[in-house]
Amino acid sequence: MKLLKRIPTLEQVSPVYAVIVLMISTWSLIHFFWRLPSLLYYSTFGEITVFISYLVVINLFESILVLLVPVLLAIILPQKWFYAQFVTKGNSLVILGLGLIMLFYWNLIGEFLSPWVLIQKVLIIGLILLVLTFLIDKVGFLNRSIMEFSNRAIIFLYVWIPVSATSLLIVLVRNIL
């Protein structure tokens, strides 16, 4: 019963989810528009619509998986550490984590790393991520900025949730029929 009380409410989860969706969908749309000119040469409008529908559905599942990380941390960690400041700590974890993953991705393109060097880089990035997540709460300006950004990002959900539902419907109909 105590674990159920530690699950963040919808008011706490929605700003974190909005930031996750904003970052993941922006990343995917940048890659989609990068490839769009070549898709126009060999694909019809319907095929491109199906392609973007699959992209949006994958973004939906990715964003839900990413949201599980701060929610699980709020459940597992002591209440003072994470749950009490779920919006700020969850958003700082998400912004830093996804930002570092994106940076890591761009730095690895075309670079071959040995497994040991890759493990070292991942551990260093993970340590930096954890330290910064818990230190951001101490800086008032960053704390307020993250709260303001996440509250404004909720507007993006008003568009993205219907687009995700429509895309999920398209993918389900396409795979069932």
Side-chain angles (χ1 to χ4, degrees):
M1 247 359 206
K2 282 188 173 184
L3 285 179
L4 292 177
K5 291 181 180 179
R6 297 178 80 180
I7 296 175
T9 63
L10 185 61
E11 290 81 22
Q12 292 173 310
V13 170
S14 59
V16 178
Y17 184 67
V19 170
I20 293 169
V21 168
L22 184 65
M23 290 183 74
I24 289 177
S25 62
T26 303
W27 178 261
S28 295
L29 288 175
I30 287 170
H31 284 281
F32 172 75
F33 286 121
W34 181 264
R35 292 183 178 102
L36 183 62
S38 65
L39 283 174
L40 292 174
Y41 282 118
Y42 62 87
S43 300
T44 64
F45 178 74
E47 291 171 340
I48 293 173
T49 304
V50 169
F51 182 76
I52 194 108
S53 295
Y54 276 97
L55 181 76
V56 170
V57 169
I58 289 170
N59 286 343
L60 173 70
F61 291 127
E62 282 179 347
S63 57
I64 290 170
L65 283 175
V66 171
L67 180 64
L68 285 177
V69 172
V71 169
L72 288 175
L73 284 175
I75 293 170
I76 293 170
L77 291 176
Q79 207 165 11
K80 288 182 191 176
W81 287 8
F82 208 86
Y83 182 81
Q85 300 92 13
F86 180 78
V87 176
T88 56
K89 287 196 178 181
N91 275 324
S92 62
L93 179 70
V94 164
I95 291 169
L96 291 171
L98 289 176
L100 287 172
I101 288 171
M102 291 173 188
L103 181 68
F104 193 66
Y105 170 78
W106 281 112
N107 286 332
L108 283 181
I109 293 177
E111 184 179 338
F112 180 75
L113 296 175
S114 69
W116 178 246
V117 173
L118 190 62
I119 289 171
Q120 286 177 338
K121 284 189 175 191
V122 168
L123 289 175
I124 290 171
I125 288 173
L127 183 64
I128 291 170
L129 176 71
L130 286 175
V131 169
L132 287 177
T133 298
F134 286 98
L135 287 180
I136 281 182
D137 253 4
K138 306 295 183 205
V139 181
F141 170 75
L142 289 175
N143 195 358
R144 286 188 304 275
S145 298
I146 288 174
M147 285 294 291
E148 193 64 33
F149 176 69
S150 64
N151 287 333
R152 291 177 189 222
I154 290 176
I155 295 170
F156 188 70
L157 290 180
Y158 291 120
V159 173
W160 201 252
I161 289 177
V163 168
S164 296
T166 306
S167 297
L168 185 60
L169 184 66
I170 290 171
V171 169
L172 288 175
V173 167
R174 181 166 165 81
N175 286 318
I176 290 174
L177 298 178

